[in-house]
Amino acid sequence: MNSMLVETNGLGMRYATQGGKLALDGASFSLAPGEFLVILGQNGCGKSTLLKCIAGLLRPTAGHIRVVGRDITALTGRALADARMALGMVFQQARLIGRRSVLSNVLCGTLGRHHGVASSLGFLPRDETGHALRCLDQVGLKAFARQRAGTLSGGQAQRVAIARALAQRPSALLADEPVASLDPEAAEEVMRLLRRLSRDEGLGVICVLHQPDLARRYADRIIGMRQGQMVFDTRPDTLQEAEIAALYEATPS
């Protein structure tokens, strides 16, 4: 039986609204349980497009995506929403509701499992409180549960965003530049947390980064992208400086 959490096969994305720009060209890789995969590359190379296709936020124009063994490429509506529950998403900005408590923000991550009238009106499922508190404990912020989210530091807010993603009970986390807005100390803290979740909890993690040094220290595998294509997929200990430098060379006009 195939145990891969995420698989992409020949994934392509051409934007009709940008003059037919080919943003992603033939991306194929897989993610195993407990694996921490980092994607590197310069702005506009296709990293975020790849992540958004996997997350179901964009529909690719070529290829296929399987999540926990299910082909989600052509899914829409409720079927897509249900399939996406296997993927927790973490963005560059924490996107917390500042006036609400930390606990309430984490509870928002459980709403996808509740389809009743109350949840559709924005009421939080209080029977999920215990689970939400456990998620906060996983990120080291259980003591902040009743605090207003707007009072948190940047690093704390991003850890709450990770707890919110964990509240979905996902099989994998997709993190799109999760440390880009953080100071170096907070960035290290978030990277340590993501690595611990992959190793201790068995979560697959796909993390888009701009920092090769962080990728080398924390990743199990590193994919390099340039002009929409994957140019390497390798372990950190075999990655050469020249390969990294080639990712960030100026793109010919």
Side-chain angles (χ1 to χ4, degrees):
M1 184 176 69
N2 192 338
S3 63
M4 292 297 168
L5 300 178
V6 175
E7 299 170 275
T8 71
N9 182 21
L11 209 60
M13 183 68 193
R14 188 180 294 275
Y15 288 108
T17 58
Q18 299 181 24
K21 176 187 175 183
L22 185 61
L24 195 60
D25 184 11
S28 299
F29 72 94
S30 59
L31 177 75
E35 187 173 32
F36 192 169
L37 172 64
V38 167
I39 303 175
L40 288 176
Q42 61 185 201
N43 288 334
C45 73
K47 305 185 304 297
S48 293
T49 296
L50 174 58
L51 211 63
K52 288 175 181 176
C53 286
I54 294 169
L57 300 176
L58 291 174
R59 178 175 291 186
T61 52
H64 292 273
I65 306 160
R66 298 182 71 86
V67 175
V68 196
R70 182 181 186 185
D71 192 328
I72 70 164
T73 317
L75 295 182
T76 59
R78 175 60 61 81
L80 178 59
D82 289 344
R84 285 174 59 186
M85 288 299 289
L87 302 170
M89 193 81 188
V90 181
F91 298 93
Q92 181 175 334
Q93 304 295 333
R95 301 184 181 183
L96 303 182
I97 304 172
R99 67 181 182 278
R100 305 194 74 165
S101 71
V102 166
L103 178 60
S104 293
N105 275 274
V106 176
L107 280 167
C108 289
T110 70
L111 287 172
R113 290 195 299 277
H114 298 269
H115 306 305
V117 174
S119 60
S120 68
L121 294 174
F123 291 98
L124 298 175
R126 295 300 170 183
D127 58 341
E128 298 267 20
T129 297
H131 174 58
L133 287 170
R134 287 189 291 274
C135 292
L136 278 171
D137 196 32
Q138 284 182 284
V139 303
L141 291 175
K142 186 177 180 180
F144 291 74
R146 305 298 174 183
Q147 188 167 317
R148 285 180 62 250
T151 66
L152 299 175
S153 69
Q156 290 170 335
Q158 195 62 293
R159 285 156 60 196
V160 171
I162 293 171
R164 181 180 58 199
L166 293 175
Q168 291 182 207
R169 295 186 172 92
S171 298
L173 291 177
L174 309 180
D176 192 1
E177 299 188 35
V179 301
S181 301
L182 303 180
D183 62 55
E185 183 178 352
E188 294 281 352
E189 190 171 38
V190 167
M191 293 299 292
R192 285 194 297 269
L193 172 59
L194 291 173
R195 182 174 64 181
R196 177 170 59 78
L197 290 170
S198 68
R199 293 184 177 178
D200 296 351
E201 306 298 328
L203 286 172
V205 176
I206 302 176
C207 183
V208 166
L209 287 180
H210 271 301
Q211 301 94 331
D213 58 327
L214 289 179
R216 281 182 143 161
R217 289 206 302 278
Y218 291 100
D220 298 312
R221 275 168 59 210
I222 301 175
I223 287 175
M225 294 193 66
R226 181 171 171 83
Q227 294 182 269
Q229 296 184 328
M230 292 172 51
V231 294
F232 61 74
D233 181 349
T234 188
R235 300 191 317 272
D237 59 348
T238 63
L239 183 58
Q240 302 297 311
E241 288 293 340
E243 292 178 292
I244 293 177
L247 292 182
Y248 298 97
E249 290 177 351
T251 303
S253 57

PDB file of all heavy atoms in Angstrom, residues 13 94 122 125 144 193 222 238:
ATOM      1  N   MET A  13       1.286  24.629 -14.164  1.00  0.00           N
ATOM      2  CA  MET A  13       0.333  25.722 -13.951  1.00  0.00           C
ATOM      3  C   MET A  13       0.649  26.850 -14.910  1.00  0.00           C
ATOM      4  O   MET A  13       1.738  27.435 -14.873  1.00  0.00           O
ATOM      5  CB  MET A  13       0.410  26.230 -12.509  1.00  0.00           C
ATOM      6  CG  MET A  13      -0.593  27.329 -12.184  1.00  0.00           C
ATOM      7  SD  MET A  13      -2.283  26.701 -12.204  1.00  0.00           S
ATOM      8  CE  MET A  13      -3.209  28.230 -12.200  1.00  0.00           C
ATOM      9  N   ALA A  94       0.517  35.363  10.296  1.00  0.00           N
ATOM     10  CA  ALA A  94      -0.257  34.429  11.114  1.00  0.00           C
ATOM     11  C   ALA A  94      -1.755  34.510  10.853  1.00  0.00           C
ATOM     12  O   ALA A  94      -2.475  33.524  11.031  1.00  0.00           O
ATOM     13  CB  ALA A  94       0.027  34.680  12.594  1.00  0.00           C
ATOM     14  N   GLY A 122     -20.636  31.049  12.338  1.00  0.00           N
ATOM     15  CA  GLY A 122     -19.415  31.519  12.977  1.00  0.00           C
ATOM     16  C   GLY A 122     -19.249  31.133  14.428  1.00  0.00           C
ATOM     17  O   GLY A 122     -18.283  31.558  15.074  1.00  0.00           O
ATOM     18  N   PRO A 125     -17.026  25.477  17.864  1.00  0.00           N
ATOM     19  CA  PRO A 125     -17.437  24.210  18.488  1.00  0.00           C
ATOM     20  C   PRO A 125     -16.752  24.012  19.835  1.00  0.00           C
ATOM     21  O   PRO A 125     -15.595  23.593  19.903  1.00  0.00           O
ATOM     22  CB  PRO A 125     -16.996  23.161  17.464  1.00  0.00           C
ATOM     23  CG  PRO A 125     -15.884  23.801  16.714  1.00  0.00           C
ATOM     24  CD  PRO A 125     -16.147  25.275  16.697  1.00  0.00           C
ATOM     25  N   PHE A 144      -1.166  30.659  27.293  1.00  0.00           N
ATOM     26  CA  PHE A 144      -1.647  31.886  26.656  1.00  0.00           C
ATOM     27  C   PHE A 144      -3.072  31.735  26.118  1.00  0.00           C
ATOM     28  O   PHE A 144      -3.572  32.633  25.437  1.00  0.00           O
ATOM     29  CB  PHE A 144      -0.728  32.274  25.495  1.00  0.00           C
ATOM     30  CG  PHE A 144       0.636  32.743  25.916  1.00  0.00           C
ATOM     31  CD1 PHE A 144       1.592  31.841  26.375  1.00  0.00           C
ATOM     32  CD2 PHE A 144       0.971  34.091  25.864  1.00  0.00           C
ATOM     33  CE1 PHE A 144       2.848  32.274  26.766  1.00  0.00           C
ATOM     34  CE2 PHE A 144       2.231  34.525  26.247  1.00  0.00           C
ATOM     35  CZ  PHE A 144       3.171  33.616  26.712  1.00  0.00           C
ATOM     36  N   LEU A 193      10.175  23.965  15.910  1.00  0.00           N
ATOM     37  CA  LEU A 193       8.841  23.425  16.151  1.00  0.00           C
ATOM     38  C   LEU A 193       8.372  22.570  14.977  1.00  0.00           C
ATOM     39  O   LEU A 193       7.870  21.452  15.166  1.00  0.00           O
ATOM     40  CB  LEU A 193       7.858  24.573  16.393  1.00  0.00           C
ATOM     41  CG  LEU A 193       6.378  24.208  16.470  1.00  0.00           C
ATOM     42  CD1 LEU A 193       6.110  23.206  17.584  1.00  0.00           C
ATOM     43  CD2 LEU A 193       5.537  25.478  16.652  1.00  0.00           C
ATOM     44  N   ILE A 222      15.705  18.774   0.359  1.00  0.00           N
ATOM     45  CA  ILE A 222      15.573  20.122  -0.180  1.00  0.00           C
ATOM     46  C   ILE A 222      15.316  20.026  -1.679  1.00  0.00           C
ATOM     47  O   ILE A 222      16.054  19.352  -2.407  1.00  0.00           O
ATOM     48  CB  ILE A 222      16.834  20.973   0.079  1.00  0.00           C
ATOM     49  CG1 ILE A 222      17.120  21.074   1.580  1.00  0.00           C
ATOM     50  CG2 ILE A 222      16.671  22.373  -0.526  1.00  0.00           C
ATOM     51  CD1 ILE A 222      18.408  21.798   1.903  1.00  0.00           C
ATOM     52  N   THR A 238      24.230  16.515   0.856  1.00  0.00           N
ATOM     53  CA  THR A 238      24.793  16.347  -0.485  1.00  0.00           C
ATOM     54  C   THR A 238      24.615  17.592  -1.355  1.00  0.00           C
ATOM     55  O   THR A 238      25.094  17.613  -2.488  1.00  0.00           O
ATOM     56  CB  THR A 238      24.136  15.146  -1.204  1.00  0.00           C
ATOM     57  OG1 THR A 238      22.737  15.411  -1.379  1.00  0.00           O
ATOM     58  CG2 THR A 238      24.306  13.873  -0.394  1.00  0.00           C
TER      59      THR A 238
END
